[in-house]
Amino acid sequence: HSDRSGQAGAAPKRRKTWDVTSGQLPNWVADELSRVTPKAKLAAATEMLQEAAEAFASGKHGRSLKLALQAKELSPRDATVRELLALSAYRLGNWDQALRELRTYRRYTGDTTHMAVEMDVLRALDRPGDVDAVWALLGRLGGSREAKNEAKVVYGAHLMDRGEPRRAWDIVNPGRIGNDPSESDLRVWYIASRAAAEAGDMQTARRLFEAVQSIDPAFPALDELDRATRS
């Protein structure tokens, strides 16, 4: 049985995570690749995957997509190959390809790390019902704090697109503002500030804007948020 999100409703396996923007493949990624790749193709697949990771880290997403596609030919069942392929396609705006590969990655691993990206792709494809379905699925499967924060950001923006800022606020309300937020915390505060402003609570909106500004004055679109939160 699969739901509308294309994912069977089973509990996820816990997979290690790596910094996709680092350009460096951890040893466990190489071990994983060796388990699913024919021996005769392993050296070439490893080289392609490493080059794809480096290209992605350098922002050369067209090159990383091309290399990841070549690696997929050599090792179609490797999860990291599909992950890099999905994220490269996403950065290039190749929405259908990104969605296919994101769901293949999730099916292979049970990992929920990129479900926010999946939801953002569905927003770009104008499939609001499927955005709702993936959000609900993440609620059932669970994930890391970072994964949940990123999903809150995307789902909050989705609800505001639909003219539902109060529902968005219920999702992204940070509760308390700590002194040592992560990058994903700041993104949640940013969306929460927008939601509060659109819901008419300018005092809360401004407080959240000032919290983001104090931590990261170079945060993207901060000038726009400044204007939106001035009563």
Side-chain angles (χ1 to χ4, degrees):
H1 166 69
S2 294
D3 61 22
R4 294 175 63 193
S5 69
Q7 166 75 35
K13 299 183 285 291
R14 291 300 174 191
R15 183 179 189 255
K16 292 179 183 178
T17 57
W18 66 294
D19 180 2
V20 185
T21 63
S22 69
Q24 298 298 316
L25 297 176
N27 290 336
W28 64 263
V29 168
D31 292 343
E32 201 173 69
L33 182 66
S34 70
R35 286 197 294 272
V36 296
T37 310
K39 200 169 183 179
K41 298 180 178 179
L42 180 58
T46 301
E47 183 180 353
M48 288 297 172
L49 183 57
Q50 179 61 59
E51 289 184 19
E54 291 170 1
F56 187 87
S58 301
K60 299 173 183 175
H61 300 124
R63 177 167 168 75
S64 63
L65 181 70
K66 180 181 177 182
L67 289 163
L69 281 168
Q70 292 173 354
K72 179 182 172 181
E73 289 292 316
L74 298 165
S75 185
R77 293 201 59 80
D78 182 69
T80 304
V81 168
R82 307 305 276 262
E83 181 180 26
L84 272 172
L85 187 49
L87 296 176
S88 298
Y90 171 70
R91 294 294 181 91
L92 293 166
N94 298 352
W95 307 127
D96 290 317
Q97 183 181 31
L99 184 63
R100 256 193 331 272
E101 298 297 339
L102 284 164
R103 288 185 166 171
T104 299
Y105 169 80
R106 182 152 62 84
R107 191 171 69 249
Y108 284 177
T109 65
D111 180 36
T112 59
T113 298
H114 300 306
M115 287 180 80
V117 179
E118 193 174 330
M119 290 162 58
D120 205 36
V121 169
L122 290 165
R123 286 178 69 209
L125 290 169
D126 194 23
R127 290 167 56 176
D130 289 333
V131 178
D132 293 336
V134 173
W135 169 255
L137 180 63
L138 178 61
R140 294 196 297 276
L141 294 180
S144 69
R145 176 182 169 80
E146 295 295 303
K148 290 176 182 175
N149 273 352
E150 298 297 350
K152 284 180 182 180
V153 168
V154 175
Y155 197 60
H158 163 70
L159 290 172
M160 284 189 284
D161 287 346
R162 296 202 315 207
E164 300 183 71
R166 293 188 185 279
R167 276 193 67 203
W169 170 255
D170 289 341
I171 298 295
V172 298
N173 177 1
R176 60 182 291 275
I177 298 176
N179 295 323
D180 188 25
S182 66
E183 288 184 21
S184 70
D185 287 328
L186 286 181
R187 285 191 280 276
V188 171
W189 295 2
Y190 178 91
I191 291 292
S193 177
R194 278 187 50 203
E198 289 189 22
D201 184 353
M202 302 306 286
Q203 184 177 358
T204 298
R206 192 67 190 174
R207 180 168 57 86
L208 286 161
F209 160 77
E210 289 170 354
V212 175
Q213 184 184 49
S214 69
I215 299 289
D216 184 3
F219 191 88
L222 206 54
D223 289 346
E224 179 185 317
L225 187 62
D226 185 12
R227 290 190 293 273
T229 56
R230 289 187 181 278
S231 51

